[in-house]
Every structure is written in structure tokens, then in C-alpha cells.
Amino acid sequence: CVECAKINQSPASVGPSVDSPTLQYSMILEHLIGDKRPVKGLNPAVMGGLPVPPKSDEQKMIERGMESCAFKSLLACVGGFVLGGAFGVFTAGIDTNVGIDPKDPLRTPTAREVLKDMGQRGMSYAKNFAIVGAMFSCTECIIESHRGKSDWKNAVYSGCVTGGAIGFRAGLKAGVLGCGGFAAFSAAIEYYLR
């Protein structure tokens, strides 16, 4: 019987044979976590994700275009225009003086006059938000490219440049205050978002 043969084996025959090398604990550790450990590529399929095919030249070109400062500025400009327009129409909607003629304040404005005034205010806000968004995004991208880092300081520097440029039209003092105000606001937003 097979079980009887196992029981009758001597302790010497159970151990490693003379021909096989002995495995030591330190050798196993060296192979698993030491310098001799084989480096394995991070395959997303092994880690539970779907395998990602290599990107084509067209995909790489599109990614480079979308990461460029010009595209980021254009996107911020369009986003600022839409957000500013919506904000302008909203503020005009809650303003009680919309559509009122300063020459005859007792006359009730018509719906056309109110809508015209709302559209003008929305367009004014849209232009301003678009300019500020494009300036901020462009300067932040340029500063980030120049510094080679992506951290909160880029937004603060960009806020200072944008605020200073906008405020400088009204004078040096307004430029300095604009720089400080935009930089502080950018720092607060970055602190909140990160």
C-alpha cells in the first residue's frame, strides 16, 4: 500500500536529496523583495482595468493640441463668455431698475425694453468674463510651462498678473490693488480646490 510506504520511509529520505540545492530563506527573500526581484510591467489587465491600446500619432497630436496654452485660453474664453452672459442676464433679472428710462422714471418699461437691457447687460458681462478668463488661463499656462511645476503658486502669480493688468488701466495704485486682490482670490480658490 502507498500509505504504508510513506510511513516506512526513513527521515533521511524525506529531506532534500544530495543532488538538489538547498533553498534558504534569505535566497527566497532576495528573489521576492531584494535586488534580484524581476521588474514586472504594470499591465492594466492584471490590475483589474481594461487593456489600453497604444495611442496613434493622431491621438497624440490631438492631446498635444488640447494641452497647449492657446487651446486652454480659448476654452476659458468661451467658458467665461457663457458664464458671464448667464450671470449678466441673472443680475439684470433681479435688478429693479432694468428697462427704466432715466428721463421718465415713473413710466412702466415694456417687455421689449426689459429684454433689450437684459441682453445688453448679459453681453457686457460675457465680454468681461471672457477677457478675464482668457488672460488668467493664458498667463497660468505660460507660468506653469516656464516653472515646470503644477502647483498653487502658478494660479497666484497668474492672478497677480491678470489683476494687475486689468487694474493698471485705472492707474498704478489700482494695478497694485488688482494684483493683490486677484492673487489672494486665486490662492483662496486653489486652497479650497486642492
Side-chain angles (χ1 to χ4, degrees):
C1 97
V2 177
E3 294 174 62
C4 297
K6 288 181 182 177
I7 294 174
N8 291 333
Q9 283 183 342
S10 67
S13 63
V14 174
S17 66
V18 177
D19 296 338
S20 68
T22 59
L23 290 176
Q24 295 178 355
Y25 182 70
S26 62
M27 291 173 58
I28 294 172
L29 269 178
E30 186 69 29
H31 180 72
L32 293 177
I33 60 173
D35 293 334
K36 296 180 182 177
R37 176 179 58 113
V39 178
K40 298 178 183 174
L42 295 176
N43 186 358
V46 174
M47 299 185 320
L50 296 174
V52 179
K55 295 179 181 173
S56 67
D57 291 338
E58 292 84 16
Q59 288 175 324
K60 291 177 184 176
M61 184 180 69
I62 290 172
E63 276 187 6
R64 280 193 304 271
M66 291 181 73
E67 292 174 359
S68 70
C69 291
F71 181 79
K72 289 179 181 179
S73 297
L74 180 67
L75 190 64
C77 183
V78 171
F81 187 84
V82 171
L83 184 66
F87 188 69
V89 169
F90 174 74
T91 56
I94 60 173
D95 188 4
T96 57
N97 295 328
V98 171
I100 293 180
D101 187 12
K103 296 175 186 173
D104 188 13
L106 297 178
R107 185 179 69 82
T108 304
T110 63
R112 178 173 288 168
E113 292 170 342
V114 171
L115 290 175
K116 182 181 176 186
D117 198 20
M118 289 175 73
Q120 288 174 345
R121 187 179 295 191
M123 186 58 73
S124 174
Y125 275 56
K127 289 177 186 176
N128 289 335
F129 274 55
I131 290 169
V132 170
M135 283 178 64
F136 182 84
S137 179
C138 183
T139 54
E140 183 180 29
C141 184
I142 290 170
I143 290 170
E144 182 177 330
S145 299
H146 180 70
R147 290 183 68 226
K149 296 179 183 176
S150 180
D151 59 0
W152 62 273
K153 292 179 183 178
N154 296 333
V156 173
Y157 296 152
S158 178
C160 181
V161 170
T162 304
I166 291 171
F168 192 66
R169 295 185 299 178
L172 183 62
K173 185 177 179 182
V176 171
L177 289 175
C179 172
F182 263 74
F185 182 72
S186 298
I189 293 296
E190 284 294 315
Y191 177 77
Y192 177 74
L193 291 179
R194 290 186 191 232

